[in-house]
Amino acid sequence: MKTAIIGAGAMGCLYGAYLSRSNQVIMIDSYAPQTESIARDGITVAETDGTEKVFKENISACLSGCCKEKVDLVIVFVKSTNTDAALSENQSLFGEDTIVLTLQNGAGNDRKVSKYVPEKNVLVGTSKHNAVNLGNGKTRHGGSGLTVVGSKAHCMEKAEKIAALFCESGIETETSEDIQRIIWSKLFVNLSINAFTAITQTPIGYLAQNPHAWDFARRLIYEAVDVAEADGTYFDRREVLETVKKVCLDDAHGYSSMYQDRKRRVKTEIDAINGAIVEQAKLYGVPTPCNALIVDLVHAIEGTYGFAE
């Protein structure tokens, strides 16, 4: 299957490398040095056991907006703040039957995708993989986990097709008909792990190891569970906490995407993660003071980027 991945960062490169085992993959990014490195040298994946593998066969790369060929599958990995711009620039990728899968952080990305392709062709997914962008087409694979895909338009045959494709490429994948639960479950993980590690600049595992940190996460998660319930999706608080803790332990030495954003001094996705909780809460009158505080704090940190270190 001819596949284009928009966003050749850590996760985009990881999925692109694995999918290239049995598919033609086009890596697309707005950062020229990254696409040039991939086009020349392929993608290098550094695994947790210390091994490295170069994936070069079946992989090409080009700058955003420059690829004019139609593809069968588009996977969106850009930051949620860049979704509209990335899709607008790359509309030439979309044919009548092109499936577009968003594996991005945050909420609402599927609605943005639906502006460019029919909703029946839009899939939403979550990934429990963790990866760090090392630059020049190299990514460090910090932790593995399940990928789940589904369709709000109930086009499960397309979700099943992509799940099978992923599994053939070594990416463990399942489908789910309850896509709202997928989105909320991913938000619970991201709104606690991403925000905390960005603020404290710590590995993912520290959140579960320090009692003060874990209390911080619990407050954020409980607020989000209340919002999810007001929106019609019900969760057991203890089960949600255990799920987040398992992610922390499984990816203990990994670094979240928001942590990486802060280290690179670039704008984070806080508005699409904790900010999405705060905005949704306003519709139902649910108080979310902890999440609102975190949004302000992360934006305040972004405001320091102009100062010399």
Side-chain angles (χ1 to χ4, degrees):
M1 179 177 284
K2 185 183 293 185
T3 300
I5 296 182
I6 305 178
M11 293 291 285
C13 280
L14 178 66
Y15 275 70
Y18 281 19
L19 287 169
S20 72
R21 290 166 168 164
S22 55
N23 304 274
Q24 180 185 347
V25 175
I26 307 169
M27 302 300 300
I28 296 173
D29 202 273
S30 59
Y31 186 55
Q34 183 77 337
T35 57
E36 290 168 1
S37 293
I38 295 172
R40 182 182 62 249
D41 304 319
I43 297 172
T44 300
V45 178
E47 299 288 358
T48 53
D49 61 5
T51 61
E52 290 189 358
K53 183 173 181 180
V54 178
F55 297 81
K56 195 169 183 179
E57 189 176 353
N58 297 327
I59 292 179
S60 60
C62 63
L63 279 172
S64 183
C66 294
C67 182
K68 303 304 179 182
E69 56 183 302
K70 299 287 189 288
V71 299
D72 303 306
L73 170 66
V74 173
I75 305 175
V76 185
F77 266 120
V78 297
K79 292 184 180 303
S80 57
T81 52
N82 298 328
T83 302
D84 271 314
L87 293 172
S88 178
E89 289 177 353
N90 293 285
Q91 291 185 64
S92 57
L93 298 171
F94 307 139
E96 184 178 346
D97 298 316
T98 300
I99 298 171
V100 182
L101 166 65
T102 167
L103 287 172
Q104 300 161 275
N105 290 330
N109 290 297
D110 57 300
R111 291 193 294 274
K112 296 177 183 178
V113 174
S114 295
K115 293 190 296 185
Y116 299 91
V117 297
E119 188 176 11
K120 66 178 182 178
N121 292 341
V122 179
L123 300 180
V124 180
T126 63
S127 172
K128 291 186 178 179
H129 287 274
N130 174 262
V132 176
N133 184 11
L134 302 178
N136 297 320
K138 185 174 182 177
T139 185
R140 183 168 67 241
H141 190 192
S144 299
L146 184 67
T147 299
V148 182
V149 296
S151 166
K152 280 190 173 180
H154 305 295
C155 297
M156 292 307 297
E157 70 280 359
K158 294 179 180 178
E160 290 164 3
K161 179 180 180 180
I162 299 308
L165 175 75
F166 279 19
C167 288
E168 290 171 4
S169 301
I171 303 170
E172 183 186 5
T173 306
E174 295 180 358
T175 61
S176 173
E177 295 187 7
D178 192 350
I179 196 64
Q180 281 301 115
R181 183 165 291 273
I182 292 177
I183 294 171
W184 278 110
S185 296
K186 184 172 184 178
L187 268 176
F188 296 144
V189 172
N190 287 333
L191 68 87
S192 51
I193 291 175
N194 272 277
F196 175 79
T197 58
I199 292 168
T200 59
Q201 301 188 80
T202 53
I204 291 171
Y206 183 73
L207 181 62
Q209 296 166 0
N210 183 280
H212 302 289
W214 189 243
D215 185 59
F216 168 94
R218 179 185 58 79
R219 295 183 188 190
L220 294 175
I221 291 168
Y222 281 6
E223 286 183 359
V225 169
D226 288 342
V227 177
E229 290 183 353
D231 192 52
T233 306
Y234 298 89
F235 292 88
D236 183 294
R237 291 184 172 193
R238 291 168 298 181
E239 290 181 1
V240 173
L241 286 177
E242 285 305 309
T243 297
V244 174
K245 179 170 285 189
K246 186 177 187 303
V247 172
C248 291
L249 297 176
D250 289 347
D251 296 337
H253 301 294
Y255 292 92
S256 75
S257 59
M258 201 176 292
Y259 166 95
Q260 297 176 59
D261 289 341
R262 182 177 180 183
K263 295 297 285 187
R264 296 197 308 271
R265 300 169 77 83
V266 298
K267 184 176 175 61
T268 71
E269 297 177 292
I270 193 69
D271 288 331
I273 300 176
N274 300 74
I277 297 298
V278 174
E279 291 305 309
Q280 190 83 341
K282 292 177 182 177
L283 300 176
Y284 305 109
V286 177
T288 54
C290 293
N291 280 278
L293 176 62
I294 292 308
V295 173
D296 288 340
L297 181 55
V298 171
H299 280 315
I301 290 171
E302 292 172 340
T304 69
Y305 291 167
F307 294 97
E309 290 185 338

